[in-house]
Amino acid sequence: MKNVLILASGKGSNFEAIIKYFKERSDINFKLLCNKKNAYVLKRAEKLNIEAYCLKFEDFSDFFKNRKFDLVVMAGFDRILDKKTIQNNKFINIHPSLLPKYKGLKAIEKTFVNHDTKGGITIHYANEKVDEGEIIYQKAIKINPKWSLRKIEKEIHKLEHHYYPRIIEKLLGLNILVVGFGAREHCIAEKISNSKYLDKLYLADSNDGFCDLGEKIIYNNYLELAQKAKEKNINLAIIGPEKYLCEGIVDIFKKFNIKTIGADKKTSKLESSKLYAKKIMKKYGIKTAPYVKINNKKNIEKYLSYFKNPVIKANGLASGKGVYINSDKNKVKNELFNFLSGKFLDASKNCLIEEKLFGYEVSLFSFWDGENLLNMPLCQDFKQNDDGLNTGGLASICPINIGIENEFKLNKFKNKLFNLLKKEKIKNPFILYSGLMITKDDIYVLEFNVRLGDPETQVLLNYIQNDWLSIFFAQANRMLNYTELKEKNKELTCIVMASKGYPLKSRKNIEISNIDFNNKNAKIYFSNVKRTNNKYYSMGGRVLSIVSEDKNLIYNILDNIEFEEKMYKKDVEIKQ
Ligand code: GRF
């Protein structure tokens, strides 16, 4: 049980918003302490059935003497407590201005009288001075010059009532669910397990390489998973794999009122239908290669003849493998025949032929919270194996420097993305991946995905030094405006170890030994392993990823691993 004390002296609209926000949480015990016997907040407490104390302010320090709270929340409290009381508890305060502007009383009136065009709120740790202490979150709004004082008050209170409960939720510690089984999810889970805001980590589907990081939830279907997540008071679920997203896991979690990071079924179409993605790109003036749709084998030759260098793509999901590129037109023709004959089942019933673009590829991950877009530094991933076949990804590097001119074009592209997300009214927080081709003349989109990529996640999440749970939580609660990314000063590389036959066939149950877990300068993330009696066995496909600043170290560790089926990409270098 967590104990929270709310201090208030007035109307108590924030008090009520907080109590209502947490109404389903049986694990938090709220109390109210008030210093004014006629304050309306006391009536609200009675109505909401919250235990309330009304004391003279002089008696407050005594009240605190024998009590300890997980959090003390000041919500319209008009006094300052002594240093000792404050130091013994964690105190936070909300103030209706963008501090340090307008400390003290009548901040909204001052905003109005001064005809400010911008106002806002500040949530901060409280100390023994008025409206000072480390800022936790700020949110600004534009003020229309025609607004009355009442209207400004109303808009500012709306912000307070939305954000204050969410900050409280975070500071009380979060229960997080990570859904997915690959190295991407291993990395996400590892970052979350290191967060100071974590209360408890739950995992669904984890593999044996990272199941120890949290408590596993066993489930048969998404509905059951959502029910269990609800029982466990999950504050946030992070969904990794595209398959789950496209099958509508987020839509189910939404019905249970569980916050998720992941695209809902509708938004997932950006990934699950390349034809849909092309239409959206056209609508928002985003450059992409010219293409035709094909679903009839009879048209293969005719349609291929429209293109100088045809590339073929399956319309649906194919784990990153549904793209075929070859300069030999006959091979392209044969593969298109295979695609249309059902190589990827329904996913390749409809295909696209598009013109090959020349340049180099980069990956852009953009975090969307329903209102704000936070773009990550660029990564590069290496998809082709030594036989030129597309895989799910065999290596990645972050960051990628594309030069000032391209950076300028990239900014224009980011604005278009923002426009797209806003105009399409996408409310659910999710991560948009843009696979970009930087050509001599401009930046083109090769494809969209609606989630973090694997293996880019492994470099990106290590390259960004922020508390990742803080980023995800901000994303889930429309607070990304206040996130400033802290980047590492060294480039990171990730190399994937896979089984020999990948991506076609691979043997399973092969022992992997001599993995150097103790090297402080490298991180290991598992994709597809089983562990029995402390020994690791491959379960096919990609097996593990290694991340480090030092590429030679990665290769040393890989060279020393004993694994009969060992395969990894040699000489990974940025391609530009
Ligand atoms: C809020 O505007 C808050 O920012 C300030 O006092 C006001 C309290 O309002 N510290 P209410 O009592 O919660 O309605």
Side-chain angles (χ1 to χ4, degrees):
M1 195 53 95
K2 287 165 184 163
N3 289 310
V4 180
L5 179 71
I6 302 182
L7 299 183
S9 321
K11 284 200 316 282
S13 67
N14 276 287
F15 166 79
E16 181 160 342
I18 294 165
I19 298 300
K20 287 191 168 156
Y21 182 82
F22 290 102
K23 68 177 184 298
E24 289 178 21
R25 289 283 296 272
S26 50
D27 58 331
I28 309 176
N29 180 14
F30 286 98
K31 286 191 170 70
L32 172 72
L33 176 58
C34 175
N35 59 337
K36 298 262 169 70
K37 66 176 189 299
N38 293 325
Y40 188 64
V41 68
L42 288 165
K43 295 225 165 69
R44 293 195 204 244
E46 203 181 323
K47 243 190 1 213
L48 295 162
N49 213 3
I50 299 295
E51 195 178 331
Y53 303 83
C54 187
L55 300 177
K56 276 195 265 150
F57 183 64
E58 293 70 50
D59 298 332
F60 269 45
S61 10
D62 269 354
F63 174 90
F64 276 98
K65 261 187 200 137
N66 309 316
R67 294 178 171 90
K68 179 94 187 122
F69 298 96
D70 294 283
L71 191 63
V72 182
V73 175
M74 311 213 291
F77 184 60
D78 60 3
R79 301 296 292 261
I80 293 290
L81 283 148
D82 57 282
K83 201 171 176 177
K84 201 166 154 225
T85 309
I86 291 190
Q87 274 169 354
N88 283 339
N89 287 280
K90 199 191 277 173
F91 272 75
I92 58 171
N93 183 39
I94 188 160
H95 189 72
S97 77
L98 297 166
L99 288 173
K101 210 172 179 184
Y102 305 147
K103 286 182 193 170
L105 295 173
K106 300 199 183 310
I108 304 182
E109 278 90 332
K110 288 176 193 159
T111 310
F112 174 71
V113 172
N114 291 331
H115 305 287
D116 288 356
T117 51
K118 204 169 95 176
I121 61 161
T122 304
I123 299 169
H124 61 98
Y125 289 107
N127 59 24
E128 67 287 358
K129 294 187 189 135
V130 180
D131 299 324
E132 283 192 20
E134 189 197 331
I135 293 178
I136 305 170
Y137 180 71
Q138 284 190 312
K139 174 79 183 174
I141 41 160
K142 272 197 203 133
I143 295 179
N144 183 328
K146 289 187 195 133
W147 284 0
S148 64
L149 174 61
R150 281 286 300 277
K151 171 73 176 162
I152 301 178
E153 269 170 3
K154 206 171 144 208
E155 292 302 318
I156 296 237
H157 285 318
K158 236 200 259 171
L159 295 181
E160 294 188 333
H161 301 166
H162 178 84
Y163 292 107
Y164 208 17
R166 287 164 169 83
I167 294 292
I168 295 169
E169 182 182 11
K170 177 175 167 184
L171 296 179
L172 287 175
L174 300 166
N175 293 329
I176 305 297
L177 171 65
V178 175
V179 184
F181 41 79
R184 165 183 53 206
E185 287 77 16
H186 184 171
C187 182
I188 296 172
E190 182 227 13
K191 293 292 161 226
I192 286 175
S193 67
N194 289 328
S195 167
K196 67 172 180 197
Y197 300 108
L198 180 70
D199 200 352
K200 186 155 180 189
L201 177 60
Y202 292 90
L203 302 169
D205 318 308
S206 58
N207 69 58
D208 285 358
F210 72 101
C211 59
D212 299 340
L213 292 177
E215 182 182 313
K216 189 153 181 164
I217 300 186
I218 311 283
Y219 69 101
N220 292 305
N221 51 51
Y222 300 146
L223 192 73
E224 193 183 338
L225 181 59
Q227 272 159 350
K228 291 192 172 173
K230 195 79 204 170
E231 280 161 25
K232 297 197 182 289
N233 287 320
I234 297 292
N235 302 90
L236 174 62
I238 302 169
I239 319 289
E242 60 274 25
K243 183 170 170 282
Y244 299 14
L245 298 169
C246 298
E247 284 171 0
I249 187 170
V250 168
D251 306 68
I252 295 175
F253 272 56
K254 246 193 218 164
K255 286 197 189 124
F256 281 77
N257 217 358
I258 303 170
K259 286 178 197 156
T260 48
I261 291 183
D264 58 16
K265 207 168 177 176
K266 189 168 163 239
T267 308
S268 299
K269 264 185 92 181
L270 285 171
E271 173 159 5
S272 64
S273 168
K274 294 212 160 49
L275 289 163
Y276 174 74
K278 287 275 195 193
K279 272 190 207 138
I280 289 280
M281 289 179 217
K282 185 161 176 223
K283 188 167 164 191
Y284 292 97
I286 291 172
K287 286 198 173 169
T288 182
Y291 73 102
V292 289
K293 171 184 164 182
I294 178 164
N295 53 20
N296 189 333
K297 286 181 235 168
K298 279 192 209 135
N299 293 331
I300 289 182
E301 289 213 15
K302 185 169 112 199
Y303 283 16
L304 278 176
S305 72
Y306 301 160
F307 296 86
K308 247 204 205 137
N309 295 288
V311 172
I312 55 170
K313 291 184 176 173
N315 180 48
L317 293 185
S319 309
K321 296 155 202 157
V323 180
Y324 189 79
I325 308 172
N326 202 313
S327 52
D328 181 337
K329 276 204 175 176
N330 265 325
K331 286 195 174 149
V332 174
K333 194 170 98 188
N334 290 339
E335 193 61 5
L336 184 51
F337 187 87
N338 294 337
F339 272 37
L340 291 172
S341 310
K343 177 165 180 180
F344 297 106
L345 309 171
D346 272 0
S348 60
K349 240 173 46 192
N350 289 309
C351 287
L352 293 80
I353 310 176
E354 60 176 57
E355 195 59 61
K356 186 174 172 183
L357 296 169
F358 292 90
Y360 62 92
E361 288 181 38
V362 292
S363 307
L364 172 68
F365 292 94
S366 310
F367 284 52
W368 173 246
D369 70 2
E371 193 174 295
N372 308 290
L373 191 65
L374 180 68
N375 290 295
M376 294 289 156
L378 294 171
C379 304
Q380 190 163 69
D381 80 329
F382 298 79
K383 282 209 165 305
Q384 293 198 343
N385 71 4
D386 291 344
D387 301 326
L389 287 181
N390 254 26
T391 70
L394 290 172
S396 57
I397 298 179
C398 179
I400 306 295
N401 184 348
I402 57 174
I404 291 180
E405 250 175 67
N406 284 323
E407 218 33 85
F408 182 70
K409 292 175 191 159
L410 185 67
N411 280 338
K412 277 195 179 161
F413 170 69
K414 287 174 181 170
N415 289 338
K416 287 184 182 172
L417 276 189
F418 180 76
N419 198 27
L420 181 166
L421 294 160
K422 193 119 194 139
K423 294 248 167 76
E424 289 297 307
K425 298 196 170 65
I426 299 176
K427 289 277 170 269
N428 218 62
F430 80 109
I431 297 149
L432 180 64
Y433 153 91
S434 308
L436 300 174
M437 179 66 91
I438 315 263
T439 71
K440 283 210 180 85
D441 73 289
D442 213 335
I443 295 182
Y444 289 75
V445 173
L446 296 171
E447 62 168 344
F448 283 139
N449 287 172
V450 293
R451 35 114 196 155
L452 281 168
D454 184 338
E456 293 102 313
T457 301
Q458 292 89 301
V459 277
L460 180 64
L461 269 58
N462 281 296
Y463 182 70
I464 296 296
Q465 303 291 293
N466 300 50
D467 183 311
W468 270 96
L469 180 46
S470 227
I471 296 185
F472 286 126
F473 186 77
Q475 189 189 6
N477 292 285
R478 270 195 271 135
M479 294 181 191
L480 278 179
N481 67 301
Y482 204 68
T483 303
E484 243 177 67
L485 295 178
K486 292 177 214 121
E487 299 184 28
K488 207 179 168 75
N489 54 10
K490 283 266 175 60
E491 167 191 308
L492 287 175
T493 303
C494 169
I495 315 257
V496 173
M497 180 175 96
S499 301
K500 257 177 213 155
Y502 180 70
L504 302 175
K505 267 194 197 133
S506 35
R507 283 168 65 209
K508 288 188 178 166
N509 267 318
I510 312 296
E511 191 182 334
I512 312 160
S513 57
N514 216 19
I515 310 171
D516 182 1
F517 285 108
N518 298 323
N519 201 307
K520 281 202 191 82
N521 299 319
K523 293 237 169 106
I524 298 185
Y525 300 106
F526 285 101
S527 325
N528 206 350
V529 291
K530 200 175 72 182
R531 191 176 57 193
T532 329
N533 298 330
N534 246 342
K535 283 184 176 163
Y536 288 90
Y537 297 89
S538 70
M539 296 305 289
R542 293 187 287 180
V543 175
L544 56 81
S545 310
I546 307 184
V547 178
S548 176
E549 287 171 9
D550 179 355
K551 229 184 310 178
N552 292 330
L553 174 67
I554 302 180
Y555 282 121
N556 274 339
I557 298 175
L558 282 167
D559 289 341
N560 290 330
I561 291 179
E562 284 161 27
F563 175 45
E564 264 174 50
E565 297 291 292
K566 188 161 65 179
M567 182 273 269
Y568 54 84
K569 213 171 171 58
K570 310 267 159 49
D571 307 320
V572 168
E573 294 288 349
I574 295 177
K575 280 191 288 187
Q576 258 169 343

